[in-house]
Amino acid sequence: MDADADSPTVELDGSLMEGGGQILRVAAALSCISGSPVAIDKVRAGRSTPGLRPQHLSGLQLVCDMCAGVLQGGAIGSTDVRLTPGKIRAGNYTADTHTAGSVCLLLQVALPCAVYADATSNLSLRGGTNAEMAPQIDYILKVFKPVVEKFGVHFDCNIKMRGFYPKGGGEVCVCVRAVKELQALTLLERGNISKIHGRAYVAGVLPFKLAKDMAAAAVRTIRREIKDLYVNIEAVKEEKACGNGNGIIIIAESTAGCLFAGSALGKKGVYADKIGQEAAEMLLRNIRHNGCVDEFLQDQLIVFMALAKGTSRIRTGAVTLHTRTAIHVAQQMTQAKFTITKCEDELNVTYIIECQGAGLPNPNPTQPKPESAINQ
C-alpha cells in the first residue's frame, strides 16, 4: 500500500519482551503492507551486541527496496531505525547477509511484503541456510510452507547452495505469488501422529558416518516413547554446500494434517548421537502437548493471522515469548485483535490463539509474471 502522508508513525520499543530481531521483522513487514511509517528505538538493547547485526540490516534493506521506502538508521550497530514505506512493487530482489546470518529470517520479513506486491516476485537470499537461533531451510519447506499455504500464501523455493557457520555462502531463490487477500486459518484438531520422517545431513569434509549416527540416535530416542510407528530418517551427504556442517531435522505429521518438527545443528566437540537425541527430544516435546503447531511455528503465523480476513484460531502448547512479542507488534501496527485462551483437560494444557484479522486487501491488481526466474 502507499504510505499515506497523514499516516501517523508507529513508535515501538525494541527492547520490549523478546527484545530481539523479531520486533524488527514483524514491524518492518507490517509497515510495508499497511503503509504506516514505523520508528523503533532501543533495538536489541539487551543483547550482548546491541543494535542491528548484518542479518537484520539486510532484511530491513530488502523490504525497503521492495516498497521503495526510506530507511533511516540503517547501519550495523544502530539502535534507532525508522522505515517510511512507499508502494510495494514486484521485482527481482537480492539480499545478502555476507555472513552466516539466516536466509530464513530474511524470508520471514520479505514474504508477507511480496504477497502484497502487484505481481510475482523473485527473491535471491544469501547467507546461512542452516543457522543457529533461526529455522533451518528444511523447516521452512517442510513445516512452515504447507501451513502458510492455508492462508493463501504460495511460494516456491530452490536451494541453490547450503551455507553453514561461520562463512555462510548459501543461497536460496524464492518465487512468491501475489494474492488479493489472505484467508483466516483454523487449526484446532490435532488428530493422531501418523508419520515421522526426517533427514540427517553432513556437508563439506565431515564424514558421512556422522549423518548415520545422528539418524540412528534420533530413531532410538523416538522409539522409547512412540513404539508403533515406523521412523524414517534418511542420512544424506549435501553435494551443494559452502563450508562444513552437519545437522538433522525430524518431522511428525498428524492425521489432521498438522506438522511438527525437532531439529539440531552439529557443534564442534559435540558427539553426533547427542545431536540426533536433541532433535528427537525437541520433536517429542512438541507433540506431547496435543496442540496443532510446534513452538517455532506459532510465532511465524502471527503476521498472517493479523493480515487475514476473518477469525483465525490455532491450538498450541505453551505460548512462547516470541509469539507474545509478535502479537504485541501486530496489534500496534494493524487493527487485528488477539486473545489467548487456556484450555485444560485431564491430560494436557493447550492454548487457543484467536485473531480477528485486520483483513487488509492487496490494493494492487495482481498479475502473475509469465515466467518465474526460479526455474531459469
Side-chain angles (χ1 to χ4, degrees):
M1 294 187 181
D2 278 313
D4 185 337
D6 300 326
S7 284
T9 298
V10 179
E11 297 191 2
L12 294 172
D13 180 341
S15 68
L16 272 181
M17 303 172 82
E18 185 271 333
Q22 188 199 29
I23 294 175
L24 292 165
R25 289 187 291 276
V26 174
L30 291 176
S31 166
C32 203
I33 293 162
S34 67
S36 297
V38 65
I40 306 166
D41 66 358
K42 300 183 198 158
V43 170
R44 301 181 67 255
R47 297 297 198 257
S48 55
T49 49
L52 296 178
R53 303 309 303 147
Q55 170 226 296
H56 307 121
L57 182 56
S58 305
L60 289 174
Q61 287 170 333
L62 174 59
V63 293
C64 196
D65 288 349
M66 293 173 75
C67 71
V70 176
L71 179 65
Q72 291 161 283
I76 302 295
S78 172
T79 54
D80 291 271
V81 296
R82 181 189 173 97
L83 174 63
T84 307
K87 191 175 177 65
I88 303 174
R89 289 277 181 231
N92 299 323
Y93 297 100
T94 300
D96 190 342
T97 65
H98 300 287
T99 66
S102 171
V103 297
C104 302
L105 296 181
L106 293 177
L107 181 62
Q108 215 174 76
V109 67
L111 180 64
C113 304
V115 165
Y116 277 80
D118 51 347
T120 298
S121 289
N122 295 293
L123 312 174
S124 171
L125 308 176
R126 296 169 188 163
T129 55
N130 300 74
E132 287 285 0
M133 309 297 290
Q136 297 194 44
I137 190 65
D138 311 83
Y139 182 94
I140 294 295
L141 295 179
K142 300 292 187 189
V143 178
F144 173 79
K145 185 175 187 284
V147 177
V148 88
E149 282 176 349
K150 298 176 195 288
F151 288 103
V153 174
H154 293 285
F155 67 95
D156 298 310
C157 181
N158 178 10
I159 304 171
K160 290 281 181 79
M161 178 76 69
R162 285 180 183 261
F164 298 94
Y165 182 82
K167 287 184 188 164
E171 181 182 9
V172 299
C173 292
V174 187
C175 174
V176 186
R177 296 199 273 293
V179 296
K180 283 307 287 175
E181 64 183 13
L182 298 179
Q183 304 304 317
L185 170 69
T186 301
L187 283 177
L188 294 177
E189 298 301 323
R190 214 277 298 271
N192 298 314
I193 300 300
S194 55
K195 189 176 178 186
I196 297 177
H197 56 97
R199 68 196 305 272
Y201 58 85
V202 293
V205 300
L206 297 180
F208 184 58
K209 181 180 185 304
L210 287 182
K212 294 200 282 196
D213 289 351
M214 286 187 294
V219 171
R220 280 197 305 275
T221 305
I222 293 167
R223 283 265 163 75
R224 283 188 211 121
E225 195 160 320
I226 300 174
K227 298 181 169 62
D228 54 346
L229 273 185
Y230 174 60
V231 181
N232 179 26
I233 301 176
E234 188 185 6
V236 184
K237 170 80 174 173
E238 297 293 2
E239 298 303 330
K240 296 178 181 173
C242 180
N244 307 314
N246 64 303
I248 180 170
I249 180 162
I250 318 162
I251 291 146
E253 299 180 20
S254 82
T255 48
C258 299
L259 296 162
F260 308 87
S263 63
L265 289 170
K267 297 173 198 70
K268 208 168 183 172
V270 179
Y271 287 116
D273 53 359
K274 187 93 180 72
I275 305 297
Q277 186 183 339
E278 184 187 326
E281 285 171 353
M282 185 186 289
L283 177 74
L284 292 169
R285 184 172 76 239
N286 274 303
I287 57 183
R288 267 182 215 126
H289 57 58
N290 214 31
C292 299
V293 299
D294 65 31
E295 64 195 295
F296 308 104
L297 189 61
Q298 52 172 264
D299 69 277
Q300 294 181 65
L301 299 182
I302 298 302
V303 166
F304 301 100
M305 292 170 78
L307 293 168
K309 183 181 182 182
T311 303
S312 294
R313 294 181 188 89
I314 60 172
R315 185 184 299 277
T316 181
V319 179
T320 66
L321 185 57
H322 268 94
T323 296
R324 292 182 188 277
T325 306
I327 288 172
H328 171 76
V329 176
Q331 290 190 145
Q332 299 286 309
M333 299 293 305
T334 69
Q335 299 293 309
K337 294 280 179 285
F338 285 84
T339 55
I340 298 172
T341 309
K342 188 176 183 180
C343 308
E344 296 186 61
D345 59 33
E346 291 115 56
L347 296 172
N348 302 289
V349 176
T350 56
Y351 296 82
I352 293 174
I353 302 172
E354 182 173 308
C355 175
Q356 292 175 334
L360 285 177
N362 186 339
N364 300 298
T366 56
Q367 304 232 314
K369 287 182 181 173
E371 228 0 276
S372 154
I374 200 164
N375 298 319
Q376 290 173 13

